[in-house]
Amino acid sequence: SVAVNCALAAGVAYMSFSSQPEQIGAGVAVRNTGSMVNSAVRGVQSLAAKKISVEQGRAILSQSPKADLLVKTGAITNKLVKSGMSIPEIAQQVTCQKIGGAACQEWYGPDRALWLGPFSEGAVPSYLTGEFPGDYGWDTQGLSADPTTFAAYRETEVIHARWAMLGTLGCVTPELLAKYSGVPIAEPVWFKAGSQIFAEGGLDYLGNPSLVHAQSILAILACQVILMGGAEAYRVNGGPAGEGLDAINPGGAFDPLGLADDPDTFAELKVKEIKNGRLAMFSMLGFYVQAISTGKGPVENWAEHIADPSGVNGLTLATATKFTP
């Protein structure tokens, strides 16, 4: 029994840190598919189904330079099994203690946090398995039941989330600079700034004509079509940056800081990106509603609310329409 668990423990350790498929024990091949934790658990599950005799266990120990450590590990594993833990659970806990990472934070897989919390049993569709970051098991309309549609919606959501994060930053930055830093911006409010291009002096980026000076809407339109169209074409079809790249996370030249080099760090960053992106999309919706309701920018609305929370809020301004184009 100890020998069997020694073999399993050796499999856990090996599969957790190997990036190539290799033969383990009696010949079970395992490949790291992105998450070392999940790889270890899957490998142990397949290994646990095999029958390893005492002779085979001794043979594995005799070939290992750390036989004493494996024997101790096997004895500990035996105790944990007798206490009620399964071999895959032990594999996951051991690997998480060793490497940590996103897979240990319940962001993926069946044990992830769900949208109804403890009341989610029976409310999560079978096709939402926790494979994608930010999957909390919510799809009441069945929009993602088809795998192809699911992948398309995920790509669309991530792209919109990234634009929303850039958009929210672009909406508040000029207003913050003008209000609190004294930067001379002619029109800092985001939904009014574009009108400056039709003024006699044109539009200066951040109030500085040396940065970007725009005075022709046709020139701006042409630049946007060429630059954005080219970027989208390269993203989808490949181009100078590489061929066959992932449409959402191309990596390579698009990741100069190497943020995605570690699989578990990458998995964690994808969760952070989609969560912040969803918040940014709701923020943009709020900016639109505020603009129509108050005719002011988000920073000014925030400052007025802080000054008088009970008198200036969404309830008191819900029916007002003060937007003037």
Side-chain angles (χ1 to χ4, degrees), residues 272-308:
K272 291 180 177 180
E273 178 187 42
I274 195 63
K275 292 174 72 174
N276 282 278
R278 288 168 177 168
L279 180 61
M281 287 189 281
F282 272 104
S283 297
M284 285 304 305
L285 176 61
F287 290 175
Y288 298 146
V289 174
Q290 283 180 327
I292 295 172
S293 178
T294 68
K296 300 176 182 179
V299 174
E300 185 64 27
N301 282 318
W302 169 79
E304 291 181 354
H305 171 69
I306 294 299
D308 183 13

Side-chain angles (χ1 to χ4, degrees), residues 20-203:
Q20 299 296 329
E22 297 288 348
Q23 296 296 322
I24 301 174
V28 179
V30 178
R31 180 181 294 276
N32 187 326
T33 59
S35 169
M36 290 182 283
V37 177
N38 293 335
S39 177
V41 174
R42 287 194 301 270
V44 168
Q45 286 174 332
S46 63
L47 189 62
K50 299 190 69 67
K51 301 295 183 181
I52 301 177
S53 65
V54 175
E55 290 74 16
Q56 289 175 315
R58 288 173 178 170
I60 294 174
L61 288 176
S62 65
Q63 297 172 5
S64 172
K66 297 182 178 181
D68 291 341
L69 177 61
L70 288 177
V71 170
K72 293 179 180 179
T73 303
I76 294 173
T77 306
N78 262 341
K79 292 181 180 179
L80 293 174
V81 170
K82 290 179 180 179
S83 69
M85 291 185 68
S86 66
I87 292 296
E89 289 173 341
I90 297 172
Q92 183 173 17
Q93 293 299 319
V94 169
T95 314
C96 285
Q97 288 292 325
K98 182 65 178 178
I99 64 173
C104 303
Q105 303 298 323
E106 296 186 358
W107 292 329
Y108 297 88
D111 295 328
R112 69 195 185 282
L114 298 174
W115 68 292
L116 287 178
F119 306 104
S120 299
E121 185 175 355
V124 179
S126 59
Y127 50 83
L128 296 181
T129 61
E131 175 186 359
F132 291 94
D135 174 8
Y136 292 95
W138 180 53
D139 186 18
T140 53
Q141 300 300 315
L143 300 177
S144 302
D146 177 67
T148 303
T149 304
F150 191 4
Y153 282 158
R154 170 42 58 108
E155 180 177 339
T156 301
E157 181 185 29
V158 172
I159 297 299
H160 279 77
R162 291 170 179 170
W163 276 117
M165 287 188 282
L166 289 172
T168 51
L169 182 63
C171 287
V172 301
T173 298
E175 201 174 350
L176 285 171
L177 292 176
K179 186 175 181 65
Y180 297 107
S181 299
V183 177
I185 301 177
E187 183 50 77
V189 179
W190 69 273
F191 59 88
K192 298 179 181 179
S195 64
Q196 296 298 299
I197 198 172
F198 300 107
E200 184 177 350
L203 187 152

